[in-house]
Amino acid sequence: MENCIFCKIVSGEIPSDFVYEDDLMVAFNDLNPQAPTHVLFVPKKHIDSLDTASDEDFEAFGKIFKAIGEYAKKEGFSEDGYRIVNNVNKMGGQDVYHIHFHLIAGRQMQWPPG
Ligand code: 5GP
Ligand code: ZN
């Protein structure tokens, strides 16, 4: 997708350090971290948001959740806990319209979120 910043990160056009990569997704540190750990898990396929995802995309989302859980275990903060966030469209606070899942960890999360 032209002019999509996350497609450019996925393709390597914008060089980034991936903390995780497989055939379906990449993961990299957020530019503006909201916690000591703030990693974005991003499917390689361009999908605008959950709102426009097709049935076949949900298999990838399941694998992304699995990868996040494994990453949290590997990094050692799984037992303490963490949060996964997916912002959808304007009222959900979505800024980048290439679907992504925030993994946020390393501090006490609050509820309700802002
Ligand atoms: P959203 O609000 O769409 O759910 O989240 C977008 C996230 O992407 C924000 O947390 C923002 O800091 C992050 N972000 C935006 N542009 C870049 C970038 O070029 N590189 C990285 N690493 N993160 C970005
Ligand atoms: Zn994209």
Side-chain angles (χ1 to χ4, degrees), residues 3-11 14 26 28 30 40 42-43 96-100:
N3 289 328
C4 169
I5 189 128
F6 285 0
C7 279
K8 288 179 180 169
I9 289 173
V10 165
S11 71
I14 297 175
V26 298
F28 50 88
D30 196 292
L40 301 173
V42 180
V96 177
Y97 280 77
H98 178 136
I99 196 168
H100 51 279

Side-chain angles (χ1 to χ4, degrees), residues 36-108:
T37 295
H38 187 165
V39 177
L40 301 173
F41 282 74
V42 180
K44 289 183 172 175
K45 177 185 173 188
H46 180 94
I47 301 158
D48 284 347
S49 79
L50 197 75
D51 194 39
T52 59
S54 59
D55 284 353
E56 71 192 27
D57 295 329
F58 285 87
E59 195 178 328
F61 300 158
K63 287 180 177 164
I64 288 174
F65 269 74
K66 184 164 184 248
I68 292 173
E70 287 171 358
Y71 182 81
K73 280 197 181 77
K74 182 172 77 69
E75 294 297 313
F77 55 78
S78 177
E79 209 173 301
D80 283 345
Y82 55 93
R83 183 170 286 177
I84 299 170
V85 175
N86 174 238
N87 296 323
V88 183
N89 288 347
K90 185 169 175 286
M91 294 277 272
Q94 186 173 3
D95 287 326
V96 177
Y97 280 77
H98 178 136
I99 196 168
H100 51 279
F101 298 86
H102 300 252
L103 164 59
I104 304 167
R107 65 169 171 81
Q108 180 60 54

